[in-house]
Amino acid sequence: MIRMIARLLKVLNSESEPGQVSLAFCFAMIMGFTPLYSLHNIIVILLVLLIRVNLSGFLLGWAVFSGLAYLLDPLFHRIGLALLTASSLEGLWTALYNMTIFRLENFNNTIVMGSLFLSLVLFIPLYIVLNLGIRKYREHILAWVQKTRFMQAFKASKLYRSYQTLSGWRG
Amino acid sequence: MQKWIRWQGLGVFVGVVALPCIFWFLFIDGIVKGVIQKYGSEAVGAKVELRSADLSLFPAGLELKGLKIANPDEPMKNAVEIARTNLNFDTLNFFRRKVIVEQMTLDGIRLNTPRKTSGALPGATPKKRATKKGTIRPGKKKGLCGGKGLPALKMPNVTEVLSKEKLPSLELVTSLKGQIEQEKQKWQQRLASLPDEKTFQSYKGEIQKIRGGGAGIAGMLASGGKAMELKKKIEADLNRIKQANADFQKETSTLKQKLADAKKAPFKDAARLAQKYGFSKERLANMSQVLFGAKICTWMEKATNWYEKIRPILERAKQKKKGKVVVKPLRGKGAFVKFKEHNPMPDFLIKKANASIITGAGDIMGIIKNITPDQDVLALPLTFSFKGDKLKNINLVEAKGALNHTRPQAPKDEIRFLVKGFKTKGISLLEKSKNPIILQKALADLNIKALVQGQDIKVNVLAAFHSASFSVKDQEGKNPIMEAIFSALKNISNFIVNAKVIGTLEEYDIKLSSDLDGVLKKSAGKIIAKQTEQLRQKLSKAIMDKVNGPLSDTAGSLSGLNGIQQELSKRLNLGSGLLGNLGKPGGKKGLKLPFS
């Protein structure tokens, strides 16, 4: 837990662009929400590795969203089932169903469809919100936090030492 | 651009993707082996073991060696053992998550092989047959399998029979005695209410007075009037007695008839019990049911058990959501919604399987086509054809069939099984009997046709036996009926048995007929008739011994009613005499009363 908070602080305080951190969390949401062994996750991994996003943020976000996914599985199933059984989309699904690549993707699985749909819908809003949040944090909160007595005490703590250790890692 | 792209990430990506591929090539065979053993064991309910598995992707195929499936009902035996299984997949469909096996080869299939260690799963109990509608429940069979039991082949002990049975004859005699006693009491009360000797004496006195009545015309007229009045009274009393006498005659006649019936009743009882406990000719007429029923019943139970094990392979649970087929998901894994395919294919299909079964008698070769749980998608039934000829002790064995579940709501399975020149040896019939009959040897031809439509089952078994010889294990000493049956069987070398099974998989009726029935009836009929007559006579004597005492008492009670008859006759005579006397001239004045 201490390491987790330390990582979060490191990510937030890092030199990375807020956009890189936000994008990492958004990709982590797709990877965490949808079942791991899905074809689209290979594309997500490729993008995460190819685009200069914050890898620490991605790994942290993946862990958090994977945990959340266990709780949200029933919701994903409902959304997926509603989409897959919607008569207006039947033509689209039938066409995809007859394509090998989409069968490999398991798009006709209710949880895959529900979780992928929800994470794609939330992708841009989450990116904007996180971007904004990180900027605000760095502008207003970070400097103030650094000066507080609590932070002074914190810097002397084990937690901060963990953070220091991690700060040596490249993000 | 350079700020956002990290080209070295591409190299890492290649490494990330390559890693699972390396893992696949290194460990997939072990994983496949583990998966087959784990899920196979769970599905069968007993150990499923595999020596090795080899999965290849290009071309897609799987080779399994040393597959052993333990029998959940007999853990020290393998239900099936397959030396080598080879499957060739359709690669493109494999990537579409469809296992389409173009060709499957099953070499060295052995059934019911012994195991060195138990095949039972720790903590697992043998699987019970499902009880929900549409599936089999443990043997509720009518007729032969319903536990009617074998008829006794020896005459029963008379004392034992009488101790078990109620005798209507004895009950009849006892109730008749009670009835007679009641009648006796009733008539004694009725006699008391009727005019008796005293009454008639008083009438006599009155007559005397009338005769000695007043002189002259007035006196004579007065006496005449009184006499007429008295006459009417006497006549009325006499009529009451006459009516009582007629009633008495009627009732005693009924009681006498009942007594006569009670005397015959013991013989009726004896005949009924002799029929019930004796070995009747009619039962001999169904001797083929007695001899072969239990065996055929056991085979039917085994066959229906295996059929129920195979049936889930042909159908799987599906549910529809808004008209789409949704295959039942595992918990937490979601559900797969199916859509119309341009070229519909089942999720699992073995197009053709070549099998060679190794039996003690030799090899049986066969082909199975279209093995799939989605016959409705494939629109083709599973068909099979097995043949083995010139086997040890069997000239020909052939099995053909079609399991048609293309319309899941109306499945139709047809199986035909043919065996020619099967040298049978030491088949024990009447196993539960103390005198088992053994079909020592015979040459049998079997023709079995089975049809299962939904839950309805219809099977016809025609078995023709040639060069047959029987023996009997006489464990109970000499038994004339058994001897009669056996001596009849000794002369039979050719016979035919026909079994018809009709009903549902849960409850079916087996009807057996054979030309043995007529032969046995003819040969052993006389001895059986003699035995039954002896039993009847013994029973008659024993029943008479029990009934005789009460019967004599009852007859005595009926004789006791004679006293009442005598009393009624006496009163009738008195009344009639009095009425006669009234008409005669009497007294000093010689007056003749106007009665006659």
Side-chain angles (χ1 to χ4, degrees), chain B residues 195-498:
Chain B
D196 56 1
E197 202 175 345
K198 254 184 176 178
T199 316
F200 289 114
Q201 283 298 335
S202 73
Y203 289 150
K204 207 174 177 180
E206 279 183 52
I207 291 168
Q208 293 301 332
K209 276 184 193 171
I210 292 165
R211 279 185 174 157
I217 291 170
M220 280 177 74
L221 283 171
S223 297
K226 281 180 185 173
M228 285 302 286
E229 213 172 288
L230 184 62
K231 187 195 170 204
K232 278 180 185 169
K233 273 169 83 178
I234 294 168
E235 275 177 347
D237 282 354
L238 208 52
N239 283 340
R240 280 176 65 205
I241 296 167
K242 276 180 183 170
Q243 183 58 49
N245 191 43
D247 291 348
F248 184 78
Q249 292 291 342
K250 200 176 161 189
E251 278 172 21
T252 48
S253 157
T254 310
L255 289 172
K256 276 176 188 169
Q257 184 56 48
K258 281 185 178 174
L259 184 66
D261 290 344
K263 281 177 183 170
K264 287 178 195 163
F267 302 104
K268 281 186 183 171
D269 276 353
R272 180 179 60 82
L273 294 176
Q275 182 74 19
K276 185 175 175 182
Y277 290 93
F279 195 80
S280 70
K281 274 187 189 179
E282 285 68 33
R283 292 173 92 172
L284 197 64
N286 294 324
M287 202 54 201
S288 55
Q289 299 230 4
V290 175
L291 288 174
F292 300 101
K295 269 270 179 271
I296 287 181
C297 191
T298 313
W299 293 339
M300 266 307 295
E301 280 192 355
K302 277 186 184 171
T304 49
N305 262 331
W306 276 106
Y307 177 76
E308 281 302 322
K309 279 176 187 168
I310 291 165
R311 200 143 80 157
I313 299 169
L314 304 172
E315 288 172 13
R316 62 170 162 171
K318 287 175 188 175
Q319 54 177 311
K320 284 205 165 191
K321 297 267 183 199
K322 293 186 191 172
K324 310 277 183 315
V325 176
V326 180
V327 178
K328 270 190 179 175
L330 291 168
R331 188 175 287 177
K333 302 275 183 187
F336 285 88
V337 180
K338 287 188 158 196
F339 297 92
K340 197 178 172 186
E341 287 176 285
H342 298 326
N343 180 22
M345 289 296 270
D347 289 347
F348 178 85
L349 169 67
I350 298 171
K351 285 185 179 174
K352 189 179 172 188
N354 295 311
S356 72
I357 304 169
I358 301 168
T359 68
D363 292 0
I364 297 170
M365 311 299 285
I367 296 172
I368 312 169
K369 286 180 181 172
N370 307 323
I371 304 171
T372 177
D374 303 313
Q375 278 193 17
D376 51 333
V377 178
L378 186 69
L380 283 172
L382 181 151
T383 58
F384 64 86
S385 172
F386 283 85
K387 192 176 176 182
D389 53 4
K390 291 170 189 167
L391 305 174
K392 190 183 165 192
N393 292 329
I394 304 173
N395 285 343
L396 173 78
V397 60
E398 200 174 78
K400 281 183 181 177
L403 310 180
N404 191 341
H405 291 239
T406 51
R407 288 167 62 215
Q409 68 278 16
K412 186 181 173 184
D413 300 333
E414 284 174 287
I415 298 162
R416 196 177 159 211
F417 190 65
L418 189 74
V419 177
K420 279 187 177 172
F422 174 36
K423 287 174 191 160
T424 63
K425 209 175 170 186
I427 296 179
S428 182
L429 310 168
L430 293 180
E431 277 170 334
K432 287 175 187 170
S433 163
K434 286 173 182 170
N435 301 96
I437 292 173
I438 294 156
L439 179 60
Q440 285 291 4
K441 59 170 187 157
L443 206 59
D445 290 341
L446 276 171
N447 191 346
I448 301 170
K449 283 178 190 171
L451 174 70
V452 183
Q453 282 183 296
Q455 282 297 300
D456 295 334
I457 185 170
K458 205 172 170 183
V459 183
N460 188 54
V461 182
L462 189 68
F465 295 85
H466 315 281
S467 316
S469 72
F470 292 90
S471 70
V472 64
K473 274 188 187 171
D474 195 356
Q475 296 171 350
E476 288 245 308
K478 278 197 170 182
N479 180 335
I481 296 172
M482 202 66 219
E483 276 179 9
I485 291 169
F486 182 52
S487 71
L489 287 173
K490 258 200 309 195
N491 298 322
I492 294 168
S493 60
N494 298 332
F495 63 95
I496 290 169
V497 178
N498 183 209

Side-chain angles (χ1 to χ4, degrees), chain A residues 48 50 52 98 103 108 110, chain B residues 4 6 98 333 335 337 342:
Chain A
V48 166
L50 200 62
R52 206 176 284 275
N98 282 284
R103 292 294 280 280
N108 61 324
T110 52
Chain B
W4 279 94
R6 126 178 94 199
K98 284 182 184 284
K333 302 275 183 187
V337 180
H342 298 326

